[in-house]
Amino acid sequence: MDEFHFPVRTTFIFLLLSFHGTTTTAQTTEQLCTAPFPVEFSENNMPGALVTTIDTLDGVTLTIVEPLNPKFILDENQLKAQEVLDYEQGEKVETINIRCFQAATEAEGRLTITVLLLNVNDNSPTFSSSSYTLDVDEFTPPRSLVGAFPAQDLDLHPDLYYTLTPDSSYFSLRSSTEPDLLVHADLDYDTVQHVNLVLTAQDTPLGGAEIPSFTATTTIAVNITDVDNRPPWFDPCNRHPLGGGVVVCQSPGYNTTVTLNERVDGAMVLKPKQIIAVDGDTGINEEVVFSLLSGNKNDIFAVEESSGNITMLKAADVLESVTLTVLASQKNNSHQFSTTTVTIRIHVESLHKPRFQRRSYHAVVSAVGTMALDPTNDDMPLQIIAVDEDYNATEGINPYISYSIIGNSDFNLINGFLFMARKVEDATFSLQVTATDTITDESDTAELTVEVKSGVGGYRVEDMAALGASLALLLFVCLLIIGLLVYRLKRGDKASQKIFEASRFLSTLGPGGPKEGIQFTNEAFQKDEDRGSVSSAGNGGETSKGVWDTEEEPRVSELKFSDLPEENEKEVKPILTKERRVEDGYKSVWFKEDIDPNAMNQVVLIPDSREEEEDEEEEKEEEEEEEEEGSLKILVSDTDLDSGLGVKIEDPGEDSERDEDLNIDL
């Protein structure tokens, strides 16, 4: 262990050498006595232990001059320790002055002996406390420092070595020479609340050579504290750890039954137990309050805020199942909440138990997954149904009846239909089927004979699904055909629209109604190309100009004027000129406001659009084309029905054979 204190010893040596020069042996001028310099002597010695031997000349005697109360004595020429020396309690360096005297020559000298006390590993490390207590919250991340617990050693060891027991999965030391306590893994209050550790300090290297060593221990009690990170949990609930200390507690819900038109007094009895919800952080245990979130149709039910008990405010008058959503939240932190459901089945008072429609059933099934057939009913799918006379309003169908086959798992009943659950050999099975009212626990039993015949046709679930898909496709095709018919009917309405347009046009021929000689032909409705009709003039003002031709077989309505009246002598204002035109065979239509209402002139009026010059040029071109064909033409411009402007009517040429005919192409 000397190597630990070599720097101290060396320091003393150099100090002493500075006083005694370069010699390493204390001596007088006559060299009467000498001794090693310095002298090393270990602590914890036995009294009388030899410190060093002094060399002297013949006849030289030795006497200790100082110290006056020496810890050392002289035994002739031997310097011995008179008491037990302690490095930690006493001086680390002892200086002894000795008188050397030779009686024969009366020579005298002085000898100084320096004793360096060596430290011996004789002390155990010590902790400042025999025990420590820590509070660590469960959200403390791994590798976080939660405490440091160094030990001290009076032997002044430069390093102490530490171990932590037991080998905790939650905490660890930074290193074997650094007693810093770190979080090793995620903490969870619900998993562990307390961890007790033992920290050991040793003054020799761990696992080193078997040399004397001393140790010290202390205990560290770590309390894991809860953090408000979980909402209230209903009881019972299914816990699902998600990692990182996150746990979800899923409530399966509660249920009960009530009788139709009867009110339950006090708290309703629920299954599997009454509503209970506690803070998911059990170390905090915040107070929980309850409320109804949804499902309380007609305000029949209520929940007590503090207890969570479900009560009835009035009787239920509808035969149904009610699902209430109950909210549980912390009173002081409403952000922490959870929900559960309470299913309340409303049923009629039981006066009759379920009863099968038959006392025995016969079924034939062919393969796994196929529906059993009823050989007594034209091999139709067999349906096993029990009725309950308490449910006459629903034709005896009790929605709370469940079906099962007693003592056999080869067959299943699904909604009253029988299926083979797994393959069995062809055989006949004698079974019993039971129908149980899950509310009243009343039941009925019937005999069931099942014949398994491979290869016999049956209705499988897949067949039923295919049938449903086919019916859906057929329905879609029907809807498509109906849509096409409706579309065709709407298109057929255009004939009536044509009649309306023609009637409207005739109403413009004067106050006397339709003029004599006007005829309509059915051929006008054979094509829907008349987008310039009178009725379309109001659709945004965008119309096409109609052309009234004089073909042998007119394509649209034909108007015949048996007699066109002569022009009167009154001055009127023409549409294209301010001068009156008096040429024979020329008729004009004037502004409506310029016509004498007492005059007998027959005038055809249409609305005026006051078109641009381009439109007028088109009208003139069409007039010239009609002149060549020898027909009388009425030009219909894009209109404003209130404008008062009319159209221009011209007589056909002399070569025309149909002077009185007027063809109108709508």
Side-chain angles (χ1 to χ4, degrees):
M1 299 303 297
D2 294 345
E3 66 273 15
F4 296 148
H5 308 288
F6 180 79
V8 177
R9 185 174 69 231
T10 304
T11 301
F12 282 116
I13 291 173
F14 280 109
L15 290 174
L16 292 173
L17 288 176
S18 65
F19 289 104
H20 295 279
T22 59
T23 179
T24 59
T25 302
Q27 56 183 338
T28 64
T29 55
E30 295 84 6
Q31 296 293 318
L32 296 178
C33 53
T34 59
F37 178 80
V39 177
E40 294 181 345
F41 186 70
S42 298
E43 65 170 334
N44 301 331
N45 58 284
M46 296 295 293
L50 177 64
V51 177
T52 187
T53 298
I54 302 172
D55 295 328
T56 62
L57 297 178
D58 293 339
V60 174
T61 59
L62 305 174
T63 304
I64 295 178
V65 178
E66 52 183 14
L68 298 178
N69 296 314
K71 299 177 181 179
F72 303 93
I73 60 175
L74 286 173
D75 182 6
E76 295 182 351
N77 65 333
Q78 291 183 335
L79 181 66
K80 297 181 177 180
Q82 190 173 350
E83 59 185 40
V84 178
L85 302 179
D86 187 353
Y87 180 86
E88 290 77 25
Q89 299 297 327
E91 298 292 335
K92 309 301 185 288
V93 179
E94 295 285 347
T95 301
I96 304 167
N97 292 320
I98 298 175
R99 175 175 176 268
C100 303
F101 178 73
Q102 190 177 42
T105 61
E106 295 184 354
E108 181 179 344
R110 294 296 179 95
L111 176 64
T112 299
I113 297 177
T114 299
V115 179
L116 301 179
L117 190 60
L118 301 180
N119 188 16
V120 176
N121 186 21
D122 59 344
N123 291 284
S124 299
T126 59
F127 289 98
S128 60
S129 177
S130 59
S131 64
Y132 301 89
T133 301
L134 293 177
D135 291 332
V136 180
D137 73 63
E138 62 178 338
F139 273 7
T140 304
R143 301 301 300 169
S144 297
L145 174 67
V146 294
F149 308 94
Q152 303 296 326
D153 193 336
L154 294 176
D155 293 326
L156 300 179
H157 291 289
D159 288 318
L160 294 177
Y161 303 89
Y162 300 89
T163 56
L164 192 65
T165 56
D167 187 11
S168 173
S169 59
Y170 297 103
F171 299 94
S172 61
L173 295 176
R174 190 181 299 277
S175 69
S176 62
T177 58
E178 297 176 283
D180 296 337
L181 188 64
L182 307 178
V183 176
H184 183 68
D186 292 326
L187 304 176
D188 181 8
Y189 178 84
D190 290 329
T191 303
V192 58
Q193 292 86 36
H194 305 284
V195 177
N196 293 319
L197 304 171
V198 176
L199 181 62
T200 300
Q202 180 176 316
D203 58 8
T204 57
L206 301 175
E210 294 186 2
I211 57 177
S213 63
F214 295 90
T215 60
T217 60
T218 187
T219 60
I220 304 173
V222 183
N223 298 319
I224 310 300
T225 59
D226 205 355
V227 177
D228 189 10
N229 66 318
R230 290 176 177 168
W233 285 355
F234 287 96
D235 183 24
C237 69
N238 301 317
R239 300 191 180 191
H240 304 282
L242 302 181
V246 178
V247 178
V248 174
C249 202
Q250 183 181 18
S251 171
Y254 305 83
N255 65 84
T256 188
T257 59
V258 296
T259 303
L260 185 69
N261 297 324
E262 291 185 9
R263 177 179 174 273
V264 177
D265 294 328
M268 300 172 62
V269 178
L270 306 180
K271 295 180 181 180
K273 62 195 309 184
Q274 295 299 99
I275 291 180
I276 299 176
V278 296
D279 188 357
D281 302 304
T282 56
I284 300 176
N285 199 23
E286 285 279 356
E287 183 180 354
V288 177
V289 294
F290 302 88
S291 61
L292 285 181
L293 191 61
S294 64
N296 191 20
K297 185 172 64 175
N298 299 326
D299 296 328
I300 297 175
F301 304 97
V303 62
E304 294 181 358
E305 181 179 299
S306 58
S307 66
N309 289 332
I310 303 296
T311 59
M312 290 189 72
L313 301 178
K314 56 185 177 182
D317 58 359
V318 179
L319 191 64
E320 62 182 356
S321 288
V322 176
T323 300
L324 303 177
T325 301
V326 179
L327 176 72
S329 59
Q330 294 182 9
K331 186 174 183 179
N332 296 326
N333 183 9
S334 59
H335 294 287
Q336 294 285 22
F337 65 88
S338 60
T339 61
T340 190
T341 58
V342 178
T343 302
I344 303 172
R345 293 180 292 183
I346 303 170
H347 66 99
V348 297
E349 183 179 1
S350 180
L351 300 177
H352 307 86
K353 71 175 187 177
R355 178 178 53 82
F356 280 106
Q357 293 175 317
R358 306 184 200 171
R359 302 318 308 164
S360 64
Y361 294 88
H362 189 187
V364 176
V365 65
S366 60
V368 175
T370 59
M371 184 183 298
L373 304 180
D374 185 356
T376 65
N377 188 20
D378 298 329
D379 287 333
M380 296 297 292
L382 174 66
Q383 188 172 18
I384 302 173
I385 295 293
V387 295
D388 190 338
E389 295 181 16
D390 294 330
Y391 290 82
N392 288 331
T394 57
E395 299 181 355
I397 301 301
N398 182 346
Y400 307 120
I401 289 180
S402 66
Y403 299 90
S404 61
I405 298 175
I406 300 175
N408 189 286
S409 59
D410 297 330
F411 305 94
N412 287 334
L413 273 175
I414 303 175
N415 295 328
F417 292 99
L418 182 67
F419 294 87
M420 183 189 293
R422 56 175 173 238
K423 182 175 179 57
V424 296
E425 297 295 330
D426 289 4
T428 300
F429 297 85
S430 296
L431 308 172
Q432 284 187 324
V433 60
T434 180
T436 303
D437 188 331
T438 57
I439 294 179
T440 64
D441 292 331
E442 297 174 325
S443 62
D444 189 24
T445 303
E447 301 297 326
L448 174 62
T449 301
V450 181
E451 290 185 66
V452 178
K453 294 183 178 181
S454 301
V456 177
Y459 294 95
R460 300 178 301 169
V461 176
E462 295 83 352
D463 297 334
M464 301 300 290
L467 177 60
S470 300
L471 292 175
L473 180 60
L474 181 60
L475 177 61
F476 174 76
V477 172
C478 291
L479 292 176
L480 182 61
I481 294 174
I482 292 173
L484 291 174
L485 291 175
V486 171
Y487 174 73
R488 295 296 299 272
L489 288 174
K490 286 185 175 296
R491 290 193 61 185
D493 285 345
K494 296 198 178 286
S496 58
Q497 181 179 352
K498 295 295 184 180
I499 295 174
F500 171 75
E501 293 172 356
S503 300
R504 184 173 178 181
F505 179 77
L506 290 178
S507 66
T508 66
L509 298 181
K515 298 303 178 178
E516 183 180 353
I518 296 181
Q519 298 180 359
F520 299 89
T521 63
N522 192 50
E523 295 176 0
F525 304 100
Q526 299 306 313
K527 296 183 179 180
D528 188 22
E529 298 175 351
D530 183 11
R531 293 177 295 176
S533 61
V534 173
S535 64
S536 61
N539 297 332
E542 295 181 5
T543 61
S544 301
K545 295 180 175 58
V547 179
W548 298 359
D549 56 32
T550 57
E551 295 178 358
E552 188 65 25
E553 292 295 333
R555 294 182 293 109
V556 295
S557 299
E558 181 180 69
L559 296 178
K560 295 184 178 181
F561 291 82
S562 59
D563 184 23
L564 292 176
E566 296 289 335
E567 292 182 352
N568 56 26
E569 295 298 322
K570 295 180 180 179
E571 183 177 353
V572 295
K573 185 185 298 182
I575 189 171
L576 298 178
T577 178
K578 295 183 179 180
E579 296 179 1
R580 184 173 179 181
R581 299 283 296 275
V582 295
E583 291 85 353
D584 292 337
Y586 181 85
K587 301 296 182 181
S588 297
V589 179
W590 318 112
F591 289 99
K592 182 177 181 180
E593 59 270 18
D594 296 330
I595 298 175
D596 185 356
N598 298 322
M600 299 304 295
N601 293 9
Q602 293 190 7
V603 180
V604 177
L605 300 176
I606 68 170
D608 171 42
S609 63
R610 301 179 187 258
E611 293 289 335
E612 300 289 339
E613 293 181 0
E614 295 178 359
D615 296 331
E616 295 177 356
E617 292 176 359
E618 292 178 0
E619 292 175 3
K620 292 179 180 180
E621 292 175 0
E622 292 176 359
E623 291 172 6
E624 293 173 358
E625 292 175 0
E626 287 298 329
E627 260 183 30
E628 294 176 359
E629 296 176 0
S631 60
L632 182 62
K633 175 181 179 185
I634 297 178
L635 297 178
V636 182
S637 62
D638 292 343
T639 61
D640 176 356
L641 293 178
D642 296 329
S643 66
L645 294 181
V647 299
K648 178 180 178 182
I649 301 177
E650 294 179 345
D651 283 338
E654 296 179 356
D655 295 335
S656 174
E657 297 180 357
R658 303 181 63 188
D659 295 341
E660 299 177 359
D661 292 358
L662 177 63
N663 293 332
I664 304 173
D665 185 1
L666 296 178

